[in-house]
Amino acid sequence: RPTWGLSIPQYTEVLQLLAVKVDSEIPLSSPAESVTAMRLSREFRVTWSPEAKKVALSPPDSGGTMDLRGLSSGTGLAIVLAQSGLGFRVIPHPRSGFLLEIDAGGESDNLWPVGWKNKQPVTVVVPAMYRHVEVDLDDEQVTDVLDLIGDRVELPWFSCRERLAADHIDLDRVRFSTPPAKMMPARLLRAIASDSRMSIEPRTDEAGRVFLWCTTVKEQAAWKRRFAHVIPGAETTQPSPR
């Protein structure tokens, strides 16, 4: 259904434009540099809200680059901007094409979502998440464990370090232990998330690729509310943010 003033045909076109895959690593030197490196379609004219302009040229604490290759540009852009507490929305241009407005905010604001709820159950789209594996972790760094899980289930994982830091969670310092056992990756992720006071859940990009998103419990709850109308396995239209 229409959002941000877009008609259904316009919204469908935007989804297609933002489903194009990212083909390079994206620098995190500043939000402005990151947006330029995304090489978005010329149909989009990028604008910045006054709040976003304040941080547009400010380097995030992490710096470096983020490897988004293979992920769709819509979700990729949302992930990169989230590192600085920003997001974006797409609205019709008065003459032609679209305005891609970058603004401050998170999952509870009227911004393009960081991934979508898949229309199929996770057990169907990522069956490896529910196959038991041998687990024995002794005070392991969670980022290393997420790398191992990602390799096992063949999913990339990303995090919103800005929101986690605001919730006093330093992902690089989080550690996790569990005795030897057979455990499904999905259950292991829930255990890590619960122990660390955060959320690690699968989401889907505009092209249908599934990834893991690590964020705060509050942000995940807001995202779930936006997609409460999407019931996996049921006949639904393309999910859209509210």
Side-chain angles (χ1 to χ4, degrees), residues 30-32 48 50-60 84-86 104:
S30 73
W48 299 75
E51 293 78 8
K53 285 181 179 178
K54 295 177 182 178
V55 297
L57 301 175
S58 302
S84 299
L86 302 175

PDB file of all heavy atoms in Angstrom, residues 30-32 48 50-60 84-86 104:
ATOM      1  N   SER A  30      32.275   8.921   7.156  1.00  0.00           N
ATOM      2  CA  SER A  30      31.223   9.864   7.516  1.00  0.00           C
ATOM      3  C   SER A  30      29.950   9.401   6.816  1.00  0.00           C
ATOM      4  O   SER A  30      30.016   8.700   5.794  1.00  0.00           O
ATOM      5  CB  SER A  30      31.567  11.290   7.088  1.00  0.00           C
ATOM      6  OG  SER A  30      31.444  11.422   5.681  1.00  0.00           O
ATOM      7  N   PRO A  31      28.766   9.774   7.325  1.00  0.00           N
ATOM      8  CA  PRO A  31      27.525   9.401   6.647  1.00  0.00           C
ATOM      9  C   PRO A  31      27.483   9.894   5.198  1.00  0.00           C
ATOM     10  O   PRO A  31      27.004   9.182   4.310  1.00  0.00           O
ATOM     11  CB  PRO A  31      26.447  10.069   7.506  1.00  0.00           C
ATOM     12  CG  PRO A  31      27.053  10.162   8.864  1.00  0.00           C
ATOM     13  CD  PRO A  31      28.511  10.441   8.622  1.00  0.00           C
ATOM     14  N   ALA A  32      27.984  11.101   4.955  1.00  0.00           N
ATOM     15  CA  ALA A  32      27.979  11.639   3.596  1.00  0.00           C
ATOM     16  C   ALA A  32      28.825  10.786   2.661  1.00  0.00           C
ATOM     17  O   ALA A  32      28.425  10.484   1.526  1.00  0.00           O
ATOM     18  CB  ALA A  32      28.474  13.084   3.604  1.00  0.00           C
ATOM     19  N   TRP A  48      19.015  16.033   2.903  1.00  0.00           N
ATOM     20  CA  TRP A  48      19.309  15.808   4.322  1.00  0.00           C
ATOM     21  C   TRP A  48      18.425  16.708   5.167  1.00  0.00           C
ATOM     22  O   TRP A  48      18.309  17.905   4.897  1.00  0.00           O
ATOM     23  CB  TRP A  48      20.780  16.117   4.628  1.00  0.00           C
ATOM     24  CG  TRP A  48      21.744  15.259   3.859  1.00  0.00           C
ATOM     25  CD1 TRP A  48      22.054  15.368   2.539  1.00  0.00           C
ATOM     26  CD2 TRP A  48      22.507  14.164   4.364  1.00  0.00           C
ATOM     27  NE1 TRP A  48      22.973  14.410   2.176  1.00  0.00           N
ATOM     28  CE2 TRP A  48      23.271  13.652   3.284  1.00  0.00           C
ATOM     29  CE3 TRP A  48      22.635  13.570   5.621  1.00  0.00           C
ATOM     30  CZ2 TRP A  48      24.136  12.580   3.427  1.00  0.00           C
ATOM     31  CZ3 TRP A  48      23.499  12.504   5.768  1.00  0.00           C
ATOM     32  CH2 TRP A  48      24.237  12.011   4.680  1.00  0.00           C
ATOM     33  N   PRO A  50      17.529  18.883   8.584  1.00  0.00           N
ATOM     34  CA  PRO A  50      18.423  19.691   9.427  1.00  0.00           C
ATOM     35  C   PRO A  50      19.122  18.855  10.506  1.00  0.00           C
ATOM     36  O   PRO A  50      20.307  19.073  10.788  1.00  0.00           O
ATOM     37  CB  PRO A  50      17.477  20.724  10.051  1.00  0.00           C
ATOM     38  CG  PRO A  50      16.380  20.873   9.042  1.00  0.00           C
ATOM     39  CD  PRO A  50      16.188  19.489   8.476  1.00  0.00           C
ATOM     40  N   GLU A  51      18.375  17.895  11.098  1.00  0.00           N
ATOM     41  CA  GLU A  51      18.986  17.056  12.131  1.00  0.00           C
ATOM     42  C   GLU A  51      20.076  16.162  11.546  1.00  0.00           C
ATOM     43  O   GLU A  51      21.134  15.959  12.157  1.00  0.00           O
ATOM     44  CB  GLU A  51      17.913  16.179  12.809  1.00  0.00           C
ATOM     45  CG  GLU A  51      16.896  16.943  13.635  1.00  0.00           C
ATOM     46  CD  GLU A  51      15.823  17.610  12.768  1.00  0.00           C
ATOM     47  OE1 GLU A  51      15.796  17.342  11.538  1.00  0.00           O
ATOM     48  OE2 GLU A  51      15.044  18.405  13.315  1.00  0.00           O
ATOM     49  N   ALA A  52      19.825  15.641  10.338  1.00  0.00           N
ATOM     50  CA  ALA A  52      20.812  14.762   9.707  1.00  0.00           C
ATOM     51  C   ALA A  52      22.051  15.534   9.265  1.00  0.00           C
ATOM     52  O   ALA A  52      23.169  15.011   9.295  1.00  0.00           O
ATOM     53  CB  ALA A  52      20.185  14.045   8.518  1.00  0.00           C
ATOM     54  N   LYS A  53      21.862  16.775   8.832  1.00  0.00           N
ATOM     55  CA  LYS A  53      23.000  17.588   8.383  1.00  0.00           C
ATOM     56  C   LYS A  53      24.024  17.777   9.498  1.00  0.00           C
ATOM     57  O   LYS A  53      25.223  17.896   9.231  1.00  0.00           O
ATOM     58  CB  LYS A  53      22.512  18.944   7.882  1.00  0.00           C
ATOM     59  CG  LYS A  53      21.857  18.913   6.514  1.00  0.00           C
ATOM     60  CD  LYS A  53      21.434  20.310   6.093  1.00  0.00           C
ATOM     61  CE  LYS A  53      20.796  20.292   4.710  1.00  0.00           C
ATOM     62  NZ  LYS A  53      20.341  21.640   4.295  1.00  0.00           N
ATOM     63  N   LYS A  54      23.558  17.803  10.733  1.00  0.00           N
ATOM     64  CA  LYS A  54      24.453  18.029  11.857  1.00  0.00           C
ATOM     65  C   LYS A  54      25.489  16.919  11.999  1.00  0.00           C
ATOM     66  O   LYS A  54      26.575  17.134  12.532  1.00  0.00           O
ATOM     67  CB  LYS A  54      23.646  18.149  13.144  1.00  0.00           C
ATOM     68  CG  LYS A  54      22.738  19.365  13.190  1.00  0.00           C
ATOM     69  CD  LYS A  54      21.904  19.391  14.466  1.00  0.00           C
ATOM     70  CE  LYS A  54      20.952  20.573  14.492  1.00  0.00           C
ATOM     71  NZ  LYS A  54      20.091  20.573  15.711  1.00  0.00           N
ATOM     72  N   VAL A  55      25.122  15.705  11.535  1.00  0.00           N
ATOM     73  CA  VAL A  55      26.058  14.578  11.670  1.00  0.00           C
ATOM     74  C   VAL A  55      26.561  14.088  10.308  1.00  0.00           C
ATOM     75  O   VAL A  55      27.328  13.133  10.241  1.00  0.00           O
ATOM     76  CB  VAL A  55      25.397  13.401  12.429  1.00  0.00           C
ATOM     77  CG1 VAL A  55      25.054  13.802  13.832  1.00  0.00           C
ATOM     78  CG2 VAL A  55      24.166  12.892  11.686  1.00  0.00           C
ATOM     79  N   ALA A  56      26.127  14.744   9.217  1.00  0.00           N
ATOM     80  CA  ALA A  56      26.454  14.268   7.871  1.00  0.00           C
ATOM     81  C   ALA A  56      27.944  14.124   7.629  1.00  0.00           C
ATOM     82  O   ALA A  56      28.396  13.189   6.963  1.00  0.00           O
ATOM     83  CB  ALA A  56      25.839  15.192   6.824  1.00  0.00           C
ATOM     84  N   LEU A  57      28.722  15.047   8.151  1.00  0.00           N
ATOM     85  CA  LEU A  57      30.165  15.027   7.924  1.00  0.00           C
ATOM     86  C   LEU A  57      30.944  14.595   9.158  1.00  0.00           C
ATOM     87  O   LEU A  57      32.170  14.643   9.177  1.00  0.00           O
ATOM     88  CB  LEU A  57      30.644  16.412   7.469  1.00  0.00           C
ATOM     89  CG  LEU A  57      29.997  16.947   6.183  1.00  0.00           C
ATOM     90  CD1 LEU A  57      30.463  18.366   5.906  1.00  0.00           C
ATOM     91  CD2 LEU A  57      30.322  16.040   5.011  1.00  0.00           C
ATOM     92  N   SER A  58      30.225  14.146  10.179  1.00  0.00           N
ATOM     93  CA  SER A  58      30.881  13.725  11.419  1.00  0.00           C
ATOM     94  C   SER A  58      31.233  12.245  11.339  1.00  0.00           C
ATOM     95  O   SER A  58      30.358  11.412  11.092  1.00  0.00           O
ATOM     96  CB  SER A  58      29.963  13.960  12.620  1.00  0.00           C
ATOM     97  OG  SER A  58      29.601  15.319  12.698  1.00  0.00           O
ATOM     98  N   PRO A  59      32.501  11.888  11.547  1.00  0.00           N
ATOM     99  CA  PRO A  59      32.871  10.470  11.489  1.00  0.00           C
ATOM    100  C   PRO A  59      32.311   9.706  12.678  1.00  0.00           C
ATOM    101  O   PRO A  59      32.321  10.191  13.803  1.00  0.00           O
ATOM    102  CB  PRO A  59      34.406  10.511  11.545  1.00  0.00           C
ATOM    103  CG  PRO A  59      34.716  11.790  12.250  1.00  0.00           C
ATOM    104  CD  PRO A  59      33.649  12.753  11.829  1.00  0.00           C
ATOM    105  N   PRO A  60      31.767   8.493  12.439  1.00  0.00           N
ATOM    106  CA  PRO A  60      31.309   7.661  13.559  1.00  0.00           C
ATOM    107  C   PRO A  60      32.499   7.166  14.361  1.00  0.00           C
ATOM    108  O   PRO A  60      33.644   7.238  13.909  1.00  0.00           O
ATOM    109  CB  PRO A  60      30.578   6.516  12.867  1.00  0.00           C
ATOM    110  CG  PRO A  60      31.199   6.439  11.508  1.00  0.00           C
ATOM    111  CD  PRO A  60      31.567   7.860  11.149  1.00  0.00           C
ATOM    112  N   SER A  84      25.113   5.813  12.534  1.00  0.00           N
ATOM    113  CA  SER A  84      25.223   7.199  13.000  1.00  0.00           C
ATOM    114  C   SER A  84      23.902   7.722  13.550  1.00  0.00           C
ATOM    115  O   SER A  84      23.718   8.931  13.694  1.00  0.00           O
ATOM    116  CB  SER A  84      25.683   8.106  11.846  1.00  0.00           C
ATOM    117  OG  SER A  84      26.954   7.716  11.366  1.00  0.00           O
ATOM    118  N   GLY A  85      22.963   6.815  13.813  1.00  0.00           N
ATOM    119  CA  GLY A  85      21.669   7.236  14.340  1.00  0.00           C
ATOM    120  C   GLY A  85      20.780   7.876  13.295  1.00  0.00           C
ATOM    121  O   GLY A  85      19.906   8.690  13.622  1.00  0.00           O
ATOM    122  N   LEU A  86      20.990   7.519  12.020  1.00  0.00           N
ATOM    123  CA  LEU A  86      20.224   8.086  10.915  1.00  0.00           C
ATOM    124  C   LEU A  86      19.451   7.007  10.169  1.00  0.00           C
ATOM    125  O   LEU A  86      19.659   5.816  10.386  1.00  0.00           O
ATOM    126  CB  LEU A  86      21.161   8.801   9.929  1.00  0.00           C
ATOM    127  CG  LEU A  86      22.031   9.929  10.480  1.00  0.00           C
ATOM    128  CD1 LEU A  86      22.984  10.418   9.384  1.00  0.00           C
ATOM    129  CD2 LEU A  86      21.180  11.071  11.001  1.00  0.00           C
ATOM    130  N   ALA A 104      17.291  11.867  11.060  1.00  0.00           N
ATOM    131  CA  ALA A 104      17.685  11.217  12.312  1.00  0.00           C
ATOM    132  C   ALA A 104      16.538  10.346  12.809  1.00  0.00           C
ATOM    133  O   ALA A 104      15.364  10.674  12.625  1.00  0.00           O
ATOM    134  CB  ALA A 104      18.038  12.273  13.360  1.00  0.00           C
TER     135      ALA A 104
END
